[in-house]
Amino acid sequence: MLIVSVFASLTVLLAYEANIALKQAWGRVRPYELNTTQSDFTAWYQINGPNNGHLSFPSGHSMAATLMIVFAWFTTGKWHRYIWGFGIGYAVLMYVSRVRIGAHFMSDTVFSGFLTFLIIYIIWELYKTVIASSNQLE
């Protein structure tokens, strides 16, 4: 259980740091911050530079919601599937709610979810490799 906790903590830390770094670099305006002519709208792939005060891309709430999947690492059997499914469902609801209230564009939430899921997948595969190699040493 300790090794799972270490890898889960590493996952959360890596996702958080990636999210913060991208927010600072992208500087994308939020939907509710758009001016009346919407001339300050930028595409999701356009980097606007640091320190412009806008932090819409990627969505931090969506990242945190997607990280709910990590709780499944601490379960087995049917609970593993239930918690994993709950994490996915909660994340999707968070994506929709962030877009609905105008805090993010859909691209902000989808990219955040994709990036966080990718980090979860990579760390989980690393965890399985470490566990497999430690079992071979025994």
Side-chain angles (χ1 to χ4, degrees):
M1 189 63 75
L2 177 63
I3 192 76
V4 174
S5 300
V6 169
F7 277 88
S9 298
L10 178 64
T11 303
V12 171
L13 181 64
L14 190 60
Y16 174 77
E17 290 298 329
N19 191 280
I20 293 300
L22 289 173
K23 277 184 178 297
Q24 295 299 322
W26 251 254
R28 188 176 191 198
V29 66
R30 294 179 186 275
Y32 66 76
E33 296 173 332
L34 288 170
N35 61 27
T36 54
T37 62
Q38 297 185 354
S39 62
D40 52 351
F41 173 80
T42 57
W44 70 269
Y45 52 82
Q46 181 179 344
I47 300 173
N48 299 306
N51 303 322
N52 69 357
H54 300 292
L55 301 172
S56 179
F57 184 86
S59 169
H61 283 84
S62 297
M63 176 224 33
T66 306
L67 284 170
M68 293 290 286
I69 296 168
V70 173
F71 284 114
W73 295 2
F74 296 94
T75 61
T76 59
K78 69 177 183 178
W79 282 106
H80 182 78
R81 279 182 294 144
Y82 291 153
I83 300 299
W84 202 89
F86 174 78
I88 294 292
Y90 182 74
V92 169
L93 286 174
M94 182 64 73
Y95 303 166
V96 172
S97 72
R98 300 305 290 167
V99 172
R100 175 67 180 98
I101 66 170
H104 291 283
F105 296 103
M106 182 62 81
S107 56
D108 301 342
T109 61
V110 170
F111 181 85
S112 181
F114 175 76
L115 176 64
T116 307
F117 191 78
L118 181 64
I119 291 169
I120 291 169
Y121 175 78
I122 290 169
I123 300 297
W124 181 247
E125 290 299 316
L126 182 61
Y127 166 76
K128 290 191 308 188
T129 303
V130 167
I131 293 301
S133 66
S134 69
N135 287 340
Q136 290 176 354
L137 294 175
E138 295 175 355

